[in-house]
Amino acid sequence: MKPAVLLSTLSLLFSSALAKKNPTFERRCSKLTESFNAADTDILLAEYVPQGTNMTFPESATTSCLKFSISLADMCRLRLNVTTSGTSSVIVEVFMPTTWHSKGKRFLMTGNGGLGGCIQYNDMTYGTSLGFAVAGHDNGHAGDVGLPFLDRPQAVKDYAWRALYTAGKIGKSVVNHFYPSSINKSYYMGCSSGGRQGLKAAQEFPEEYDGIVSAAPAVYFQSILAASAHVFKTTGAPGSATHLTQDQWNAVHQMVIDQCDGIDGVLDNVVEDPLKCQPRPEALLCGPGQTWASDQCLTAEQVLTVRTVYSPVYGNNGKLISPRLSPLTKEFIGYPVMYGGVPSYISEGWYKYALYNDPTWTIQNNFTWDTVDYDMQQDLFGVETAKTDLTDAKNNNTRILMYHGLSDCLISSENSYRYYESVSRDMGLPSSQLDEFYRFFPISGMDHCYSGDGAWFVGGSVQYGPAGALDVDPSDSVLMTVVKWVEQGIAPDTLMGRKLVDGVVTGAKAHCKHPLKTTYKGVGDPNLASSWECRTV
Ligand SMILES: *[C@@H]1O[C@H](CO)[C@@H](O)[C@H](O)[C@H]1NC(C)=O
Ligand SMILES: *[C@@H]1O[C@H](CO)[C@@H](O)[C@H](O)[C@H]1NC(C)=O
Ligand SMILES: *[C@@H]1O[C@H](CO)[C@@H](O)[C@H](O)[C@H]1NC(C)=O
Ligand SMILES: *[C@@H]1O[C@H](CO)[C@@H](O)[C@H](O)[C@H]1NC(C)=O
Ligand SMILES: *[C@@H]1O[C@H](CO)[C@@H](O)[C@H](O)[C@H]1NC(C)=O
C-alpha cells in the first residue's frame, strides 16, 4: 500500500475510533477470566479493545509473525492456552465485536500459513469489521518454523488437524458463553496451509462449519514439499551453472508473457487460462558468443532449469508427484522461497524436524525420491489432506468455496484442479452436481493468496491489512459470497475480483466457476467486468 492510501485508511480508522462506551459489554468481557471455564484451558487475556486500537502480540517478539494489527471494531479480545496433550498446546485468540447480534450471529474460524505458527490477526480483524465473532490459533507452535516439531509428534498432530479442530470447538463455546444468544452459522476462511486446513475440515469434521472458504490449498501436502525441494535441486545454489538470478527470472516471466499473453485475446500481462500456455524457454537461449551481460540471454543449462521448473514432477518409477508450477508465476515474488537457490524452509523444516527428527538432515545432502516415498507412506496424522470422499460435507450441507490464483509461485494452481477432478471422479459426481456443495474458482493474475497483475482482490484470507484495500465494498467479497450461499441459498457462479494498483481499484473481473472459462467478449474495456463472460471452452 502506498503511503497516501495508508494514511487515508488510518485516518478513517481513527476517526471512527471515538466509539460509544458500552460498560456492560466491557465488564462482561473482563469478567470472562472468572466466568468462562473449560477443561485444559487457561485464559491468558480478556480485555475490551475499542476500534482503532493498535494491538501487539506477544509471539511477535520471538517470531516473524505479524507485529501488530489495528482493531476494526469495538470488541472483546480473549487469548487462551489450550492443552492438547501432555506435550502440546495451542494458543487461541477470540475476537468478539459489539455488532455481533445485529450482523447475523456468525462465527468465523481462521487458518494459518506455511509451517503454521502465526495467528492470522488481519483475517480476524477483517472478520470483526463484518460483525463475525472470529477465532484464530497458532496451530500448536509459535512461528512459521519447523523446529518445534523436533521429537514432538503431538505438535505435528496439532499442525495436521488437531489445533484447528480444538480451536474451533473452544472458540464456539466462548462465543456461545459470552453473548446472550448462540451462534447461528459457522464459517471457515484460510489460504495456503489455511486452505489445506479448510479442506481438512471439509473432509473430516464438516459438521463444524456451514461454509468453508479454501484458498490456494496446500492439499497433497507431501507433493508440494517434494515439488519445492525439486525446484531447489533443479536451480542449484547461486553461482552454479543451472542457477538463474532474479533478473534472469524476470526475463523468463517476460518471455512467458510474450508467448502466452495473447491467447485470451487481451494483452494485459494476464493469461486467463494458463493451462493453455506451453512456453518455449529456448526462445531465450544464447547464440555463439552471446552472454547474459551483453545479450540478456540464457545458457542451455539455465534454459533446461526453466523447462524443468515448469514441467510436472515425477518420482521413483515414473510416479507423478506434482503437476507443474504455473509458468505465469511472478518469479520475483517466488524468488526468495522457490527460485533463489536456497532450499524451501517449509520443505526442509518438515523433512528435518517432523519426518526424520534429525537436525543434520538437509535437502542439499539428503533429499532423494526415496524421501518422498517415505514421507507419503508415513503421511503423519493425515497431513496429505487428499481424501476425495466429501460425502459427509455434502450430507451436512457444508458449502465449500475453493479458489486458487493461477500465477501462484509456491503451490501449483494445477494442484487445485487435480483435487477438484479427483473428488468429481471418486464421488461419481459431475460438476453440475458437485455445484450443490463444492465450487472451484480459478483466479487469473493472482499470485500466492494475494497480489498480482490481474483482478486478484476477492476479499479473502490475508488480502486485507498491508496487502489490500480496506475501502472495497465487502458485500461481494468471497467471505460474504459464501455467507449468501449458506444463508440465502444464492450459490455463486462467479467470484468478483478487483485489480489494485498501489492500493487503488483500477479494474474488475467476475471470475468464472470451473469448468467454465472467463472469456473476453471481444469488445469493450477489458478492465470492466461486463466485457467478460463465462463460456464452456
Ligand atoms: C503499532 O504498534 C507497533 C509497535 O509498537 C508500531 O511499530 C506500529 O507502527 C504501530 N502501528 C500504527 C499504525 O500505529
Ligand atoms: C500453555 O500450556 C502449556 C501446558 O499445556 C505450557 O507448557 C505452556 O507454557 C503454556 N503457554 C503459555 C503461553 O502460557
Ligand atoms: C456430518 O459429518 C460427520 C463427520 O464429521 C458425520 O459423522 C455425520 O454423519 C454427517 N452428518 C450427516 C447428516 O451426514
Ligand atoms: C545426509 O548426507 C550427509 C552427507 O552426505 C551424510 O553424512 C549423512 O549421513 C546423511 N544423513 C542421512 C540421515 O542420511
Ligand atoms: C439463522 O440464519 C438463518 C439464515 O440466514 C435465518 O433464516 C434465521 O432466522 C437465523 N436464526 C436466528 C435464530 O437468528
Side-chain angles (χ1 to χ4, degrees):
M1 205 185 272
K2 274 271 167 359
V5 180
L6 187 65
L7 273 181
S8 68
T9 304
L10 288 178
S11 59
L12 188 90
L13 289 174
F14 290 123
S15 64
S16 52
L18 308 163
K20 282 193 242 27
K21 286 253 168 212
N22 189 338
T24 315
F25 186 93
E26 291 176 40
R27 198 167 47 244
R28 280 179 60 77
C29 179
S30 55
K31 280 262 163 61
L32 278 172
T33 46
E34 296 149 35
S35 70
F36 182 73
N37 292 293
D40 304 320
T41 303
D42 288 335
I43 298 185
L44 304 176
L45 177 80
E47 70 176 11
Y48 177 73
V49 177
Q51 182 171 349
T53 304
N54 184 356
M55 294 177 286
T56 54
F57 311 112
E59 65 272 22
S60 69
T62 51
T63 65
S64 60
C65 297
L66 200 65
K67 303 288 177 229
F68 66 89
S69 185
I70 308 292
S71 161
L72 297 178
D74 296 333
M75 64 179 192
C76 177
R77 174 183 173 198
L78 197 64
R79 186 176 171 93
L80 309 156
N81 184 9
V82 187
T83 301
T84 50
S85 80
T87 55
S88 60
S89 55
V90 178
I91 301 294
V92 180
E93 291 247 5
V94 189
F95 290 178
M96 296 178 284
T98 52
T99 53
W100 188 72
H101 280 97
S102 61
K103 295 288 180 95
K105 297 185 278 188
R106 298 178 186 124
F107 175 74
L108 175 66
M109 186 71 215
T110 58
N112 305 90
L115 284 175
C118 293
I119 297 172
Q120 303 282 29
Y121 290 105
N122 284 340
D123 285 359
M124 294 182 68
T125 51
Y126 164 55
T128 59
S129 77
L130 296 170
F132 290 78
V134 192
H137 65 98
D138 73 351
N139 226 4
H141 68 267
D144 184 9
V145 289
L147 182 59
F149 294 143
L150 181 61
D151 295 322
R152 290 179 65 230
Q154 293 299 327
V156 179
K157 185 172 182 174
D158 281 344
Y159 176 79
W161 64 270
R162 188 176 52 192
L164 169 65
Y165 182 77
T166 307
K169 287 280 192 200
I170 201 86
K172 285 183 186 183
S173 56
V174 166
V175 173
N176 284 332
H177 168 86
F178 179 67
Y179 294 111
S181 54
S182 9
I183 295 167
N184 192 349
K185 299 288 180 199
S186 294
Y187 299 89
Y188 174 88
M189 178 175 84
C191 189
S192 194
S193 275
R196 182 190 70 76
Q197 291 168 308
L199 289 181
K200 193 69 175 172
Q203 295 166 7
E204 305 295 343
F205 36 95
E207 75 281 8
E208 294 295 322
Y209 299 103
D210 300 289
I212 291 173
V213 178
S214 164
V219 285
Y220 305 113
F221 182 75
Q222 274 106 359
S223 302
I224 295 169
L225 299 186
S228 305
H230 172 68
V231 168
F232 166 70
K233 287 295 208 176
T234 303
T235 64
S240 51
T242 46
H243 191 264
L244 281 76
T245 64
Q246 185 155 0
D247 284 348
Q248 290 169 331
W249 278 115
N250 293 347
V252 169
H253 184 71
Q254 190 56 48
M255 175 273 296
V256 176
I257 292 295
D258 290 346
Q259 295 184 19
C260 292
D261 194 7
I263 293 174
D264 55 23
V266 181
L267 294 175
D268 55 358
N269 294 330
V270 174
V271 176
E272 203 48 53
D273 184 6
L275 297 173
K276 293 180 184 152
C277 175
Q278 299 289 338
R280 179 177 172 271
E282 288 74 12
L284 286 174
L285 184 64
C286 294
Q290 292 186 317
T291 63
W292 170 258
S294 57
D295 302 281
Q296 309 273 291
C297 58
L298 301 180
T299 65
E301 286 97 329
Q302 291 174 319
V303 167
L304 182 59
T305 294
V306 176
R307 199 168 255 295
T308 306
V309 163
Y310 294 135
S311 297
V313 181
Y314 298 94
N316 284 334
N317 305 316
K319 181 186 168 197
L320 176 70
I321 303 292
S322 168
R324 66 173 185 169
L325 274 173
S326 166
L328 267 304
T329 64
K330 288 294 271 284
E331 289 79 357
F332 45 93
I333 293 179
Y335 190 80
V337 179
M338 287 295 269
Y339 303 93
V342 178
S344 152
Y345 72 97
I346 300 176
S347 299
E348 186 144 299
W350 179 264
Y351 293 137
K352 198 186 273 233
Y353 299 117
L355 186 65
Y356 290 114
N357 292 296
D358 176 359
T360 69
W361 191 100
T362 64
I363 288 177
Q364 172 74 53
N365 291 333
N366 305 105
F367 177 84
T368 67
W369 294 125
D370 290 344
T371 308
V372 181
D373 287 348
Y374 178 63
D375 192 26
M376 290 192 176
Q377 174 224 322
Q378 293 290 303
D379 188 16
L380 298 172
F381 305 102
V383 73
E384 184 77 341
T385 317
K387 181 175 157 187
T388 47
D389 181 357
L390 300 180
T391 306
D392 282 340
K394 180 174 186 284
N395 292 346
N396 275 282
N397 291 322
T398 301
R399 307 284 186 241
I400 307 159
L401 195 164
M402 182 172 90
Y403 66 90
H404 203 137
L406 298 181
S407 308
D408 194 321
C409 54
L410 296 181
I411 299 178
S412 169
S413 48
E414 293 185 25
N415 213 44
S416 283
Y417 291 92
R418 181 187 186 188
Y419 182 70
Y420 178 92
E421 307 301 10
S422 300
V423 170
S424 177
R425 285 195 310 276
D426 293 353
M427 293 185 74
L429 295 177
S431 296
S432 56
Q433 285 167 36
L434 279 183
D435 275 357
E436 185 195 317
F437 69 98
Y438 176 31
R439 294 180 177 222
F440 168 38
F441 297 87
I443 311 291
S444 61
M446 177 199 270
D447 301 334
H448 187 59
C449 298
Y450 62 90
S451 168
D453 289 334
W456 62 268
F457 186 83
V458 298
S461 177
V462 299
Q463 294 196 340
Y464 282 86
L470 280 164
D471 47 2
V472 173
D473 177 5
S475 65
D476 58 11
S477 65
V478 64
L479 181 55
M480 295 319 287
T481 296
V482 82
V483 165
K484 265 179 233 153
W485 191 7
V486 166
E487 299 185 15
Q488 298 171 40
I490 302 173
D493 290 323
T494 58
L495 190 54
M496 183 57 77
R498 266 51 177 229
K499 181 177 174 175
L500 297 181
V501 176
D502 297 334
V504 174
V505 177
T506 61
K509 190 178 280 176
H511 300 281
C512 301
K513 168 174 62 76
H514 178 68
L516 294 179
K517 303 285 186 190
T518 313
T519 310
Y520 182 55
K521 289 177 178 172
V523 288
D525 180 355
N527 282 314
L528 297 177
S530 58
S531 302
W532 299 74
E533 62 190 358
C534 301
R535 293 194 192 156
T536 48
V537 282

